[in-house]
Amino acid sequence: MYGSHGRRPPRATRGRRGATIRRRARALAAVLAGAALLLAGCSSSGDGKGGGSASSEPSPTVGQRPKSQAPYWVDPAGNAARQAASYEREGKSAEAARMKKIAAQPVAEWIGTEDPRGQTERVTKAAAKVDRSALLVLYNVPHRDCGQYSKGGAKDAAAYRKWLDAVVAGIGDRAATVIVEPDALAHVVAEGCTPRKFHDERYGLLAEAVTELKRLPDTTVYLDAGNPDWIRDTGALVEPLRRAGIAEADGFSLNVSNYQTTASNIAYGKELSPKVGNKPFVIDTSRNGNGPLEGAHGDEEAWCNPPGRALGEPPTVETGHERVDAYLWIKRPGESDGECKGGPPAGRWWPAYALQLARNAKG
């Protein structure tokens, strides 16, 4: 299942991978706070980083965020919403309140492989019904994750293209913001990870994904560019991003499933942006409230389910920075990074970790 994707760089590498959000007419955007949709059949089975949200259980009504602040769909039947409802039934009011900090925010849907068109259609249609954009993640590139916790992906290029076609058909003319293949480029740049014989294929598939998605009438696309503690030389990402289609994309994404601070990501993104045509970027703030784990230089998996972390800034397009299109919750808070530090498989829902993130959050 998609989730914290076990994004880890090879042992030789420190750190880990780590529309243009159309700020369209924010002043005119209708605020639909309180609008809700019970979606029993919306599943998230992204095979690694994110977990599933499919359930036929009744779930509490979750309102949408004001569109001018966060134009993305809040899933009223997501893991956190259902967990909050469960805690309420058990009389665990403190736990329920903490879980609602997650349930109230839009989080990304990682598109799986079982029914990519059906899953994408369900999410984009649910979002369209409440006048929101779906936030989606593609994470199925062949030879994914360097054989680590979220290893896998499509068996070959043909299988990836077939899967991509299904996702594109599932989006159709509905509004969507898509993060393209977290870690894929950083794993090419990082030595000892993705074998060189697969590099050209990967660049080609990423460029095709960007091209196909941008042919849709209302889709915004961000190519993933890792995080500031992974590929520290931004210049090393310029040619890979170019070959992967950054010129046609709306921008790039940073910090997906990682814990680097928002400030460090802003500085990194502003350094990289002029090198790739002044493209804007988005930052995953889902779990970076306390930054990365300190004093863990000897831990090669310091990025994997680190203790003491916290939710970061809530998703918003009001970042206060010209090049920063949005803070997003791309990694779904409460879903495991992998089988480390007592965690379940990558992408599996882990309520105890979700509570920890919410408990440690500011505000």
Side-chain angles (χ1 to χ4, degrees), residues 234-276:
T234 57
L237 286 165
V238 174
E239 182 63 11
L241 281 165
R242 185 194 67 77
R243 294 185 64 182
I246 189 63
E248 194 172 352
D250 294 281
F252 55 92
S253 59
L254 296 174
N255 205 47
V256 175
S257 295
N258 212 287
Y259 302 83
Q260 305 305 311
T261 66
T262 300
S264 67
N265 276 283
I266 291 173
Y268 187 84
K270 286 186 175 181
E271 180 181 326
L272 176 58
S273 176
K275 299 175 182 179
V276 290

Side-chain angles (χ1 to χ4, degrees), residues 24-114:
R24 46 190 184 202
R26 292 183 184 169
L28 300 177
V31 175
L32 298 178
L37 175 69
L38 294 180
L39 188 67
C42 180
S43 67
S44 297
S45 54
D47 302 321
K49 294 225 173 195
S53 60
S55 173
S56 58
E57 292 181 26
S59 47
T61 296
V62 173
Q64 302 299 315
R65 292 277 309 282
K67 190 175 180 180
S68 60
Q69 297 174 7
Y72 310 101
W73 177 61
V74 177
D75 182 0
N79 286 326
R82 290 184 287 111
Q83 189 72 59
S86 176
Y87 284 144
E88 286 181 336
R89 289 193 297 269
E90 296 168 9
K92 299 179 178 179
S93 57
E95 289 86 347
R98 291 190 185 106
M99 198 61 68
K100 286 178 182 177
K101 290 183 180 180
I102 299 174
Q105 302 299 338
V107 298
E109 183 84 1
W110 297 69
I111 305 303
T113 56
E114 290 185 5

Side-chain angles (χ1 to χ4, degrees), residues 186-247:
H187 274 149
V188 167
V189 176
E191 242 182 87
C193 187
T194 306
R196 184 166 296 278
K197 64 181 179 180
F198 299 129
H199 287 191
D200 288 345
E201 175 188 85
R202 178 162 297 184
Y203 288 134
L205 291 176
L206 294 177
E208 287 178 38
V210 172
T211 297
E212 292 302 312
L213 290 165
K214 288 306 300 175
R215 283 176 178 161
L216 297 173
D218 202 8
T219 296
T220 301
V221 180
Y222 295 93
L223 264 173
D224 190 64
N227 69 70
D229 195 46
W230 192 357
I231 308 300
R232 296 185 177 181
D233 175 12
T234 57
L237 286 165
V238 174
E239 182 63 11
L241 281 165
R242 185 194 67 77
R243 294 185 64 182
I246 189 63

